[in-house]
Amino acid sequence: MVHAVIMAGGVGSRFWPRSRTHLPKQFLPILSEATLIQNTAARLQGLVEPQHLWAVTNERHRTAILDQLPIIDPARVLIEPMGRNTAPAIGLAARHLLAADPDAVMLVLPSDHLITDVRSFHRVCRVAIDVAVETGGLVTLGLAPDRPETGYGYIQLDEHAPHARHRDEAFRVRTFAEKPDRVTAERFIHSGDFLWNSGMFIWRADAILREIARQLPALDRALDDIAPHIGTDGYDAALRAAYAVTPEVSIDYGVMERADQVWVVRCELGWSDVGSWDEVANRSEMSDGHGNHIHGDVILHDVTNSHIQTERVVAAIGIDNLIVIDTPDALLICRRGHSQQVKEVVQALKTRHPALL
């Protein structure tokens, strides 16, 4: 049976000042009236049964998930006692899935991505499920790049090792590449065999646990300590004790880069990781004929190519190419193309104004 696991523990620091500790990016209506996590769950309709929907988060955001996703069974909202990156979160979910379904296939999804072509998403997920079940390998979705992006990781496919039944879409992975510089990204694009790493994965639950056991023995031991207590009164104490000694490691670095059998399904989904205010600006509809994107009560005079969001009246005069995000207690102003640096502002706020995070 196919289960979907939504990874919902992120802090969304690059979306300050709207994204805050108590309500980060995935719980906000960034590009539509629905929130990002609501859109993530909605696109699973027709692909995964509601009773097979899971989420991994922290105690602080459990209520937000249940409020925004009433379709999800509260027992399937898995709470991590502390953040340990994606490998422990995925391993914990895999242990729970196996306890519920020994033949479980996991579709692992970030909670805060944008996909506009849902029909193609369903089709490539079914291809990936076929490959994962047939090969027992680990499968990821790779996005056909349309620009030399330096903010994404890349996957190099092996054109000489296609899957027998899905020869045009599924290939063995040659290598994973970290976020490149501009020159390297351009070389990746020109080669034709590099894809953007989407962070979406498909595999049998037992397959990912075998790889964790082989490559991350400390995490495997922690998961072994948790497993016997799933569904018992001793679960919370066992979980806290195990996480206290669990290594902090990503699934890409800890498992995927060295796994025995990794496949990538090449696809085009109208995808974005919605990773910055610049990405929001680039994907927002224009509000006028001057390249502006306006959300809220804004008065403009001689303003061009700017993205402005506000919860109160804002007047802007004589500006160009800016991002302005106004909230009741904080204001962000930055030039378009510089919004990745918001994370540096967040670092400064940790010591100067922690209450604003």
Side-chain angles (χ1 to χ4, degrees):
M1 195 65 66
V2 178
H3 300 250
V5 178
I6 298 176
M7 309 292 286
V11 298
S13 61
R14 284 175 291 186
F15 276 81
W16 185 88
R18 287 197 64 198
S19 179
R20 305 293 179 98
T21 300
H22 68 281
L23 201 68
K25 164 191 170 187
Q26 59 268 31
F27 301 112
L28 300 176
I30 297 292
L31 283 165
S32 69
E33 293 184 2
T35 67
L36 291 171
I37 196 170
Q38 286 173 328
N39 286 332
T40 299
R43 76 176 66 105
L44 291 167
Q45 294 180 18
L47 184 65
V48 177
E49 295 297 325
Q51 65 268 28
H52 298 142
L53 181 63
W54 302 70
V56 182
T57 189
N58 53 64
E59 185 61 46
R60 181 184 291 114
H61 300 139
R62 184 178 187 275
T63 299
I65 287 179
L66 295 176
D67 287 346
Q68 295 196 11
L69 301 180
I71 193 173
I72 195 169
D73 182 346
R76 298 199 164 181
V77 179
L78 307 180
I79 305 300
E80 292 186 288
M82 59 195 74
R84 286 291 191 241
N85 214 317
T86 52
I90 288 170
L92 178 67
R95 287 287 188 173
H96 277 267
L97 262 66
L98 277 186
D101 176 6
D103 296 316
V105 177
M106 297 175 65
L107 172 59
V108 180
L109 301 172
S111 60
D112 55 359
H113 287 186
L114 170 72
I115 291 175
T116 58
D117 190 346
V118 176
R119 179 177 296 180
S120 291
F121 172 70
H122 282 204
R123 183 181 58 77
V124 299
C125 283
R126 291 188 175 104
V127 169
I129 291 165
D130 282 350
V131 175
V133 171
E134 183 176 314
T135 67
L138 309 183
V139 186
T140 185
L141 302 187
L143 287 306
D146 59 12
R147 62 185 185 276
E149 176 62 56
T150 60
Y152 300 153
Y154 285 73
I155 302 168
Q156 185 182 25
L157 59 84
D158 187 344
E159 293 179 330
H160 301 293
H163 184 268
R165 288 195 301 110
H166 302 288
R167 298 185 62 85
D168 295 330
E169 295 177 285
F171 303 84
R172 292 290 292 265
V173 170
R174 291 185 63 182
T175 188
F176 288 84
E178 299 298 323
K179 296 175 182 178
D181 58 28
R182 180 75 181 188
V183 172
T184 304
E186 290 175 349
R187 179 168 56 82
F188 286 170
I189 298 298
H190 292 320
S191 74
D193 59 357
F194 277 86
L195 306 171
W196 286 338
N197 187 346
S198 71
M200 294 182 280
F201 308 102
I202 301 90
W203 43 54
R204 286 181 56 98
D206 53 7
I208 188 62
L209 288 171
R210 281 196 300 270
E211 280 294 339
I212 288 174
R214 187 173 73 86
Q215 300 189 56
L216 299 173
L219 174 56
D220 182 57
R221 288 192 295 271
L223 296 173
D224 279 345
D225 291 340
I226 296 168
H229 301 281
I230 292 175
T232 74
D233 291 341
Y235 172 75
D236 288 342
L239 181 67
R240 287 193 299 271
Y243 259 67
V245 295
T246 295
E248 183 172 349
V249 61
S250 73
I251 198 71
D252 285 296
Y253 178 78
V255 175
M256 296 295 285
E257 293 182 5
R258 295 170 291 173
D260 284 338
Q261 187 172 185
V262 183
W263 297 81
V264 61
V265 177
R266 179 168 53 192
C267 51
E268 296 184 35
L269 305 174
W271 172 90
S272 167
D273 71 342
V274 197
S276 68
W277 285 117
D278 276 299
E279 185 69 14
V280 173
N282 293 338
R283 290 184 171 270
S284 296
E285 293 184 4
M286 290 188 189
S287 302
D288 58 23
H290 304 287
N292 297 309
H293 319 104
I294 304 304
H295 303 267
D297 194 350
V298 182
I299 300 168
L300 303 179
H301 181 73
D302 191 24
V303 174
T304 53
N305 305 313
S306 293
H307 181 87
I308 303 175
Q309 291 190 19
T310 178
E311 300 178 29
R312 55 181 171 174
V313 177
V314 166
I317 302 171
I319 65 172
D320 172 66
N321 209 41
L322 293 186
I323 292 172
V324 179
I325 310 297
D326 186 46
T327 67
D329 61 352
L331 170 65
L332 168 71
I333 303 172
C334 73
R335 185 164 298 280
R336 291 183 68 168
H338 292 256
S339 68
Q340 290 283 353
Q341 297 172 31
V342 170
K343 60 186 178 182
E344 297 173 15
V345 173
V346 169
Q347 287 299 317
L349 288 169
K350 288 179 179 179
T351 55
R352 294 177 58 179
H353 298 285
L356 293 180
L357 296 176

